[in-house]
Amino acid sequence: MPRILVLYYSSYGHVETMAQAVAEGAAAAGAEVAVKRVPELMPEAVARSAGVLLDQAAPIADPQELGDYDAIIVGSPTRFGNMAAQMRNFLDQTGPLWAKGALVGKVGSAFTSTASQHGGQEMTITSIHTTLLHHGMIIVGLPYSFAGNTIMTEISGGTPYGASTIAGPDGSRQPSGNELDGARFQGRHVAEIAARMKKGGQN
């Protein structure tokens, strides 16, 4: 049974909701799943004035614990086509893991949220992929075997690079059924691949 970490940053709850769906999918595939978040960098008064959710249920992760997992699925909202500073700061603290190759050969995956359909979803996910590749991780996305990636009857996130949701310019739109299905599919897909790799490594 692979151990999977769903690691996320969420300002307004959209990525948090997607993270829970990813975790559900991974758990349904038999994985042992932990859902953790990275620390907020904004001063509390600034964050509260901006409406940032500071009381999320997930515990805070430690950068050095990433090596304890067989797969890591990273979620971040987009900031100008890149991951949020909070996630970037957290990942920048994983240098000691990189130095000893602690994540080499493990499975890495990513998901995101943007305000608009063309707000940099794929760029943000691939910005996360870049860091995971530097760690020697094996990248897994959201394949087109998830039929929701080609849905044309509604506005929806979902890319071959990873699951995504659209929050709307004021953040009022919540993840749709199709977007949550994509997140669950990705979690299950990662868990199944991690399980096969772990089993193969034990032979």
Side-chain angles (χ1 to χ4, degrees), residues 36-37 60-66 90:
K36 297 190 178 185
R37 59 193 173 103
I60 300 294
D62 182 330
Q64 303 314 310
E65 74 177 276
L66 270 57
F90 183 91

Side-chain angles (χ1 to χ4, degrees), residues 115-132:
S116 68
Q117 285 180 278
H118 309 290
Q121 292 189 353
E122 295 178 349
M123 290 291 291
T124 300
I125 291 172
T126 57
S127 77
I128 297 170
H129 287 173
T130 299
T131 298
L132 303 184

Side-chain angles (χ1 to χ4, degrees), residues 136-155:
M137 301 185 79
I138 297 166
I139 303 302
V140 172
L142 179 61
Y144 283 108
S145 50
F146 171 62
N149 266 354
T150 57
I151 194 168
M152 295 294 290
T153 56
E154 63 182 68
I155 294 173

